[in-house]
Amino acid sequence: MEKKEKFSVHTDCIRFPLDRPCVYQKNDNARCAECDKYSKVSQNAVFKILIIKLGAMGDVLRTTFLLEGLKELYPASEISWIVSKNNAQVLSGNKFINNIIINDDNTAGFLTSNYFNLVINPDLAPKSLALARLSFKENFSGYVLDNDRNIVFSNEPAQQWLLMSSYDELKKANQHTYQHWMSAITGLNKDNYEIIVPLQESSVKKADIFLKEKNIAAGKKIIGINPGAGKRWKMKKWRTDGFIALAKHLSSKGHIVLLLGGNDDIEEITAITNEKIKNVYSAGTDNSIPDFFALVNLCDIIVCGDTMALHAAAGLKKNIVALFGPTSLAEIDVYGRGIKLQSNKECICCYKQECDISKNCMDLISEEEVIKAVEKYL
């Protein structure tokens, strides 16, 4: 009995790495039964929160609105966020996040070595559900899997969001924003906290240099156009000829047009620049995310589809003209600083990524509607 006690193991000690002896055993031949360094993982000095939101990039960015509300509810909290490597840059420099955790081979070790008072998983993706299940937690908001692969939801709003995510007809009928639903799921005090878009000083300087290189005078109205929508959601894109007509109109009024996008938007941006319209400039398609944010920040107005640029513009408090077709107009919050346009096509908000209708819902948004909406902010 004495020997068994001498070699007992406190596997719940924060200093025990699970798969090998701890540093105190290695260096000092310490025994758990007699060690004064024992500290239970679950006895946190601060309230620890874990957010699991891996992607997509725009979804990660818009979910940052939760952070200010969480800090109001838990002022002394420490917030960690697990995110996919490709989407981590949108969180870089966020003052509310203590730890940005890249989802990789080390994630399981991180989850088993930390105890969280609250795990927030607003995502129904299998990876996110698996991470929520693996996390060592006191409580959760959102979703986690049980032993029978059932999705367990934390409250009634989470159940409603699950149903909407499962039935397109419910998604189409929804009239509340993403922020409304996520606030209800996590128990925030309100649903209008702002999206957080950190601006890095080095990127802001690059954006200023860009203006000087293009001889864009101070005081000129700058309208940012994001004409693409990535590879996955081709149906979110408005007609390129519509963007060309808009650019020509704005140019004729003496305004500056800045073409914004990434590598997936090269075709659309090239088609517009090939028109050689005066005062229309491409900001490049290979910018880092911080540089992209700084370029968006140059603009007075952003015209785009349901894209990451929309959420960046919302977080940077820009005026927005957003064009919708296959995704929910109601779900997107522009914080009272924008106009949301869609056609009257009956099949809008279908959530289809492909469409064989010759005049689809995005095609039917007219240049006149878009120009009128933009001019409201000029």
Side-chain angles (χ1 to χ4, degrees), residues 176-325:
H176 293 297
T177 65
Y178 174 83
Q179 283 84 337
H180 166 86
W181 288 109
M182 295 303 115
S183 294
I185 289 169
T186 53
L188 299 188
N189 293 325
K190 56 184 182 179
D191 64 2
N192 62 345
Y193 298 101
E194 298 275 357
I195 294 167
I196 300 169
V197 182
L199 289 173
Q200 296 186 10
E201 186 177 349
S202 60
S203 295
V204 171
K205 287 180 179 178
K206 282 185 184 180
D208 289 339
I209 291 170
F210 173 84
L211 291 182
K212 291 176 183 176
E213 289 177 344
K214 301 299 182 183
N215 294 315
I216 298 174
K220 284 278 190 178
K221 285 284 187 179
I222 301 178
I223 298 90
I225 291 178
N226 177 210
K231 291 181 177 178
R232 181 186 175 194
W233 284 99
K234 294 178 181 179
M235 295 310 303
K236 286 184 180 181
K237 290 188 292 189
W238 191 40
R239 294 174 283 107
T240 302
D241 64 336
F243 282 119
I244 291 171
L246 174 63
K248 287 180 177 179
H249 174 83
L250 294 170
S251 174
S252 72
K253 299 293 184 179
H255 303 305
I256 303 298
V257 173
L258 197 57
L259 302 177
L260 304 163
N263 289 326
D264 292 340
D265 308 320
I266 291 175
E267 182 180 344
E268 291 80 14
I269 289 175
T270 300
I272 298 171
T273 55
N274 284 345
E275 294 289 317
K276 301 190 185 306
I277 309 166
K278 184 181 179 182
N279 295 331
V280 175
Y281 305 95
S282 172
T285 56
D286 59 350
N287 296 294
S288 68
I289 295 302
D291 289 353
F292 180 79
F293 288 161
L295 289 164
V296 171
N297 196 50
L298 293 176
C299 303
D300 299 286
I301 307 165
I302 296 294
V303 185
C304 59
D306 182 6
T307 65
M308 197 266 284
L310 190 162
H311 305 301
L316 291 167
K317 300 178 174 59
K318 302 299 176 180
N319 293 316
I320 300 167
V321 174
L323 316 179
F324 290 86

Side-chain angles (χ1 to χ4, degrees), residues 54 81-85 100-108 111 127-128 131:
L54 306 179
W81 190 310
I82 298 180
V83 64
S84 296
K85 183 178 180 180
I100 298 173
I101 310 301
I102 304 300
N103 185 35
D104 57 19
D105 292 342
N106 299 315
T107 307
L111 291 176
K127 285 183 180 179
S128 299
L131 291 171

